[in-house]
Coordinates of all heavy atoms in Angstrom, one line a residue:
Chain A
M8 N 57.8 50.3 33.2 CA 58.2 51.2 32.1 C 57.1 51.4 31.1 O 56.3 50.6 30.9 CB 59.3 50.6 31.4 CG 60.4 50.5 31.1 SD 61.7 50.0 30.3 CE 61.4 50.6 28.7
A9 N 57.1 52.5 30.4 CA 56.1 52.9 29.5 C 55.9 51.9 28.4 O 54.9 51.7 27.8 CB 56.4 54.3 28.9
M10 N 57.0 51.2 28.1 CA 57.0 50.3 26.9 C 56.0 49.2 27.1 O 55.6 48.5 26.1 CB 58.4 49.6 26.8 CG 59.5 50.5 26.4 SD 59.2 51.0 24.8 CE 59.5 52.7 24.9
K11 N 55.7 48.8 28.3 CA 55.0 47.6 28.6 C 53.5 47.7 28.4 O 52.8 46.8 28.7 CB 55.3 47.1 30.0 CG 56.8 46.8 30.2 CD 57.3 45.8 29.2 CE 58.8 45.6 29.3 NZ 59.5 45.0 28.2
C18 N 51.6 45.5 19.3 CA 52.2 46.8 18.9 C 53.6 46.8 19.5 O 53.7 47.1 20.7 CB 51.4 47.9 19.3 SG 51.2 49.2 18.1
P19 N 54.6 46.4 18.8 CA 55.9 46.2 19.4 C 56.5 47.5 19.9 O 56.1 48.6 19.4 CB 56.8 45.8 18.2 CG 55.9 45.4 17.1 CD 54.6 46.1 17.3
E20 N 57.2 47.4 21.0 CA 58.0 48.6 21.5 C 59.1 48.9 20.5 O 59.5 48.0 19.8 CB 58.4 48.4 22.9 CG 59.5 47.3 23.1 CD 59.9 47.2 24.5 OE1 59.1 47.5 25.4 OE2 61.1 46.8 24.7
V21 N 59.6 50.1 20.5 CA 60.7 50.5 19.6 C 61.9 51.0 20.3 O 61.7 51.9 21.2 CB 60.2 51.5 18.6 CG1 61.2 51.9 17.6 CG2 58.9 51.0 17.8
W22 N 63.0 50.5 20.1 CA 64.3 51.1 20.6 C 65.1 51.6 19.5 O 65.1 51.1 18.4 CB 65.1 50.0 21.4 CG 64.4 49.5 22.6 CD1 63.2 48.9 22.7 CD2 64.9 49.7 24.0 NE1 62.9 48.6 24.1 CE2 63.9 49.1 24.8 CE3 66.0 50.3 24.5 CZ2 64.1 49.1 26.2 CZ3 66.2 50.3 25.9 CH2 65.2 49.7 26.7
R23 N 65.8 52.7 19.8 CA 66.5 53.3 18.7 C 68.0 53.5 19.1 O 68.4 54.5 19.7 CB 65.9 54.7 18.4 CG 66.6 55.4 17.2 CD 65.8 56.6 16.8 NE 64.6 56.4 16.1 CZ 63.6 57.3 16.0 NH1 63.7 58.5 16.5 NH2 62.5 56.9 15.3
P24 N 68.8 52.5 18.8 CA 70.2 52.6 19.2 C 71.0 53.7 18.5 O 70.6 54.1 17.4 CB 70.8 51.2 18.8 CG 69.9 50.7 17.8 CD 68.5 51.3 18.1
R25 N 72.0 54.2 19.1 CA 72.7 55.3 18.5 C 74.0 54.9 17.8 O 74.7 55.8 17.2 CB 73.1 56.4 19.6 CG 71.8 57.0 20.1 CD 72.2 58.0 21.2 NE 71.0 58.7 21.6 CZ 71.0 59.7 22.5 NH1 72.1 59.9 23.2 NH2 69.9 60.3 22.8
D26 N 74.4 53.7 18.0 CA 75.6 53.2 17.2 C 75.4 51.7 17.0 O 74.6 51.1 17.6 CB 76.9 53.6 17.8 CG 77.1 53.1 19.2 OD1 76.8 51.9 19.4 OD2 77.5 53.8 20.1
E29 N 75.7 49.5 20.1 CA 74.5 49.5 20.9 C 73.4 48.6 20.3 O 72.7 47.9 21.0 CB 74.0 50.9 21.1 CG 73.0 51.0 22.2 CD 72.7 52.5 22.5 OE1 72.2 53.2 21.6 OE2 73.0 52.9 23.6
A30 N 73.3 48.7 18.9 CA 72.3 47.9 18.2 C 72.5 46.4 18.5 O 71.6 45.6 18.8 CB 72.3 48.2 16.7
C31 N 73.8 46.0 18.4 CA 74.1 44.6 18.7 C 73.9 44.2 20.1 O 73.4 43.1 20.4 CB 75.6 44.3 18.3 SG 75.9 44.4 16.5
R32 N 74.2 45.1 21.1 CA 73.9 44.8 22.5 C 72.4 44.6 22.7 O 72.0 43.7 23.4 CB 74.4 46.0 23.4 CG 75.9 46.0 23.6 CD 76.2 46.8 24.9 NE 75.8 48.1 24.9 CZ 76.4 49.1 24.3 NH1 77.5 48.9 23.7 NH2 75.9 50.4 24.4
L33 N 71.6 45.5 22.1 CA 70.1 45.4 22.2 C 69.6 44.0 21.6 O 68.8 43.3 22.2 CB 69.4 46.5 21.5 CG 69.4 47.9 22.3 CD1 69.0 49.0 21.3 CD2 68.5 47.8 23.5
K34 N 70.2 43.7 20.5 CA 69.8 42.4 19.8 C 70.1 41.3 20.7 O 69.4 40.3 20.9 CB 70.4 42.4 18.5 CG 70.2 41.1 17.7 CD 68.7 40.9 17.3 CE 68.5 39.5 16.6 NZ 67.2 39.0 16.8
A36 N 70.4 41.3 23.9 CA 69.6 41.3 25.1 C 68.2 40.8 24.8 O 67.6 40.0 25.6 CB 69.5 42.8 25.7
F37 N 67.6 41.2 23.7 CA 66.2 40.8 23.4 C 66.1 39.4 22.7 O 65.1 38.8 22.7 CB 65.6 41.9 22.5 CG 65.2 43.1 23.2 CD1 65.8 44.3 22.8 CD2 64.3 43.1 24.3 CE1 65.5 45.5 23.5 CE2 64.0 44.3 24.9 CZ 64.7 45.5 24.6
D40 N 63.2 38.0 20.2 CA 62.0 38.9 20.3 C 62.4 40.3 19.9 O 61.5 41.1 19.8 CB 61.5 38.8 21.7 CG 60.1 39.4 21.8 OD1 59.3 39.0 20.9 OD2 59.8 40.1 22.8
G41 N 63.6 40.5 19.6 CA 64.0 41.9 19.1 C 64.5 41.8 17.6 O 65.3 40.9 17.3
V42 N 63.9 42.6 16.8 CA 64.1 42.5 15.3 C 64.7 43.8 14.8 O 64.1 44.9 15.1 CB 62.8 42.1 14.6 CG1 63.0 42.2 13.1 CG2 62.4 40.7 15.0
F43 N 65.8 43.8 14.1 CA 66.3 45.0 13.5 C 65.3 45.5 12.4 O 64.8 44.7 11.7 CB 67.7 44.7 12.7 CG 68.8 44.5 13.7 CD1 69.8 43.5 13.4 CD2 69.0 45.2 14.8 CE1 70.9 43.3 14.2 CE2 70.1 45.0 15.6 CZ 71.0 44.1 15.3
T44 N 65.1 46.8 12.4 CA 64.2 47.3 11.4 C 64.7 48.7 10.9 O 65.4 49.4 11.6 CB 62.8 47.4 11.9 OG1 61.9 47.9 10.9 CG2 62.7 48.4 13.1
A45 N 64.4 48.9 9.6 CA 64.8 50.3 9.0 C 63.5 50.8 8.3 O 62.7 51.4 9.0 CB 65.9 50.1 8.1
P62 N 57.2 40.8 16.4 CA 58.1 40.7 17.6 C 57.6 41.6 18.7 O 56.8 42.5 18.5 CB 59.4 41.1 17.1 CG 59.1 42.1 16.0 CD 57.8 41.7 15.4
G63 N 58.2 41.4 19.9 CA 57.9 42.3 21.0 C 58.6 43.6 20.9 O 58.2 44.7 21.4
T64 N 59.7 43.6 20.2 CA 60.6 44.8 20.1 C 61.1 45.0 18.7 O 61.6 44.1 18.1 CB 61.8 44.6 21.1 OG1 61.3 44.4 22.4 CG2 62.6 45.9 21.1
L65 N 61.1 46.3 18.3 CA 61.8 46.6 17.1 C 63.0 47.4 17.4 O 62.9 48.3 18.3 CB 60.9 47.5 16.2 CG 59.6 46.9 15.6 CD1 58.8 47.9 14.8 CD2 59.9 45.7 14.8
I66 N 64.1 47.1 16.8 CA 65.4 47.8 17.1 C 65.6 48.7 15.8 O 66.0 48.2 14.8 CB 66.5 46.8 17.3 CG1 66.2 45.9 18.5 CG2 67.8 47.6 17.6 CD1 67.1 44.7 18.6
D67 N 65.2 49.9 15.9 CA 65.2 50.8 14.7 C 66.6 51.3 14.5 O 67.2 51.9 15.4 CB 64.2 52.0 15.0 CG 64.4 53.1 14.0 OD1 64.2 52.7 12.8 OD2 64.6 54.2 14.3
L68 N 67.1 51.1 13.3 CA 68.5 51.3 13.0 C 68.7 52.7 12.4 O 69.8 53.1 12.1 CB 69.0 50.3 12.0 CG 68.8 48.8 12.4 CD1 69.2 47.9 11.3 CD2 69.7 48.5 13.6
T69 N 67.6 53.5 12.2 CA 67.7 54.7 11.4 C 68.5 55.8 12.0 O 68.9 56.8 11.3 CB 66.4 55.2 10.9 OG1 65.6 55.5 12.1 CG2 65.6 54.2 10.1
A70 N 68.8 55.8 13.3 CA 69.5 56.9 14.0 C 71.0 56.6 14.0 O 71.8 57.4 14.5 CB 68.9 57.1 15.4
I71 N 71.4 55.4 13.5 CA 72.8 55.1 13.6 C 73.6 55.8 12.5 O 73.3 55.7 11.4 CB 73.0 53.5 13.5 CG1 72.3 52.8 14.6 CG2 74.5 53.2 13.5 CD1 72.3 51.3 14.5
Chain B
M23 N 71.8 44.1 31.3 CA 72.5 43.7 30.1 C 72.4 44.9 29.1 O 73.4 45.3 28.4 CB 71.8 42.5 29.4 CG 72.8 41.8 28.5 SD 72.4 40.2 28.0 CE 70.9 39.7 29.0
I24 N 71.2 45.6 29.1 CA 71.1 46.7 28.2 C 71.7 47.9 29.0 O 71.3 48.1 30.1 CB 69.6 47.0 27.8 CG1 69.1 45.8 27.1 CG2 69.5 48.2 26.9 CD1 67.6 45.8 27.0
D25 N 72.5 48.7 28.3 CA 73.0 49.9 28.9 C 72.0 51.0 28.9 O 71.8 51.8 28.0 CB 74.2 50.4 28.1 CG 74.8 51.7 28.6 OD1 74.4 52.1 29.7 OD2 75.7 52.2 28.0
R26 N 71.3 51.1 30.0 CA 70.1 52.0 30.1 C 70.6 53.5 30.4 O 69.7 54.4 30.4 CB 69.1 51.6 31.1 CG 68.4 50.3 30.6 CD 67.3 49.9 31.7 NE 66.9 48.5 31.3 CZ 65.9 48.3 30.5 NH1 65.3 49.3 29.9 NH2 65.5 47.1 30.2
T27 N 71.9 53.7 30.6 CA 72.3 55.1 30.8 C 72.4 55.7 29.4 O 72.5 56.9 29.4 CB 73.7 55.1 31.5 OG1 74.6 54.4 30.7 CG2 73.6 54.5 32.9
N28 N 72.5 54.9 28.4 CA 72.5 55.5 27.1 C 71.1 55.5 26.5 O 70.6 54.4 26.2 CB 73.4 54.6 26.2 CG 73.8 55.3 24.9 OD1 73.2 56.3 24.6 ND2 74.7 54.8 24.2
P29 N 70.4 56.6 26.5 CA 69.0 56.6 26.3 C 68.6 56.1 24.9 O 69.0 56.7 23.9 CB 68.5 58.0 26.5 CG 69.8 58.8 26.2 CD 71.0 57.9 26.5
V30 N 67.9 55.0 24.8 CA 67.6 54.5 23.5 C 66.1 54.3 23.3 O 65.6 54.3 22.1 CB 68.3 53.1 23.1 CG1 69.7 53.4 22.8 CG2 68.1 52.1 24.2
P31 N 65.2 54.0 24.3 CA 63.8 53.8 23.9 C 63.2 55.0 23.2 O 63.4 56.1 23.7 CB 63.2 53.5 25.3 CG 64.2 53.3 26.2 CD 65.4 54.1 25.7
V32 N 62.6 54.7 22.2 CA 61.9 55.8 21.4 C 60.9 56.4 22.3 O 60.6 57.6 22.3 CB 61.3 55.3 20.1 CG1 60.3 56.2 19.6 CG2 62.4 55.0 19.1
Q33 N 60.2 55.6 23.1 CA 59.1 56.0 23.9 C 59.3 55.7 25.4 O 59.2 54.6 25.8 CB 57.9 55.3 23.4 CG 56.6 55.5 24.1 CD 55.7 54.3 24.0 OE1 55.9 53.4 23.2 NE2 54.6 54.3 24.7
T34 N 59.7 56.7 26.1 CA 59.8 56.5 27.6 C 59.0 57.7 28.2 O 59.0 58.8 27.7 CB 61.2 56.6 28.1 OG1 62.0 57.5 27.4 CG2 61.9 55.2 28.1
F39 N 54.2 61.7 20.0 CA 55.0 61.9 18.7 C 54.5 63.1 18.0 O 53.3 63.3 17.8 CB 54.8 60.7 17.8 CG 55.4 59.5 18.4 CD1 54.7 58.6 19.3 CD2 56.8 59.2 18.2 CE1 55.3 57.5 19.9 CE2 57.4 58.1 18.8 CZ 56.6 57.3 19.6
P53 N 51.2 54.2 20.8 CA 52.4 53.3 20.7 C 53.2 53.6 19.5 O 52.6 53.9 18.4 CB 51.8 51.9 20.7 CG 50.4 52.0 21.2 CD 49.9 53.4 20.8
P54 N 54.5 53.6 19.6 CA 55.4 54.0 18.5 C 55.2 53.2 17.2 O 55.3 53.7 16.1 CB 56.8 53.8 19.0 CG 56.7 52.9 20.2 CD 55.3 53.2 20.8
S55 N 54.8 51.9 17.3 CA 54.7 51.1 16.1 C 53.3 51.1 15.6 O 53.0 50.3 14.7 CB 55.2 49.7 16.4 OG 54.6 49.1 17.5
M98 N 55.0 53.3 10.3 CA 54.7 53.3 11.7 C 54.9 54.7 12.3 O 55.7 55.5 11.8 CB 55.6 52.3 12.4 CG 55.2 50.9 12.0 SD 56.3 49.6 12.8 CE 57.6 49.5 11.6
Y100 N 56.3 56.1 14.8 CA 57.6 56.7 15.2 C 58.4 57.1 14.0 O 59.3 58.0 14.0 CB 58.4 55.7 16.0 CG 59.1 54.5 15.2 CD1 60.4 54.7 14.7 CD2 58.4 53.3 15.0 CE1 61.0 53.6 14.0 CE2 59.0 52.3 14.3 CZ 60.3 52.5 13.8 OH 60.9 51.5 13.1
Q101 N 58.1 56.5 12.8 CA 58.9 56.9 11.6 C 58.5 58.2 11.0 O 59.2 58.7 10.2 CB 58.6 55.8 10.5 CG 59.2 54.4 10.9 CD 58.8 53.4 9.8 OE1 57.7 53.2 9.5 NE2 59.8 52.7 9.3

Side-chain angles (χ1 to χ4, degrees):
Chain A
M8 249 195 63
M10 293 292 134
K11 301 302 177 199
C18 223
E20 64 179 31
V21 181
W22 291 65
R23 186 174 283 164
R25 292 178 171 181
D26 58 46
E29 191 170 66
C31 290
R32 281 203 302 278
L33 283 167
K34 176 67 183 151
F37 287 117
D40 199 39
V42 172
F43 287 143
T44 182
T64 304
L65 296 177
I66 304 166
D67 172 51
L68 305 172
T69 57
I71 299 176
Chain B
M23 202 165 355
I24 301 166
D25 177 8
R26 288 180 194 276
T27 58
N28 193 347
V30 287
V32 164
Q33 173 206 354
T34 34
F39 294 88
S55 53
M98 292 177 270
Y100 78 90
Q101 294 176 306

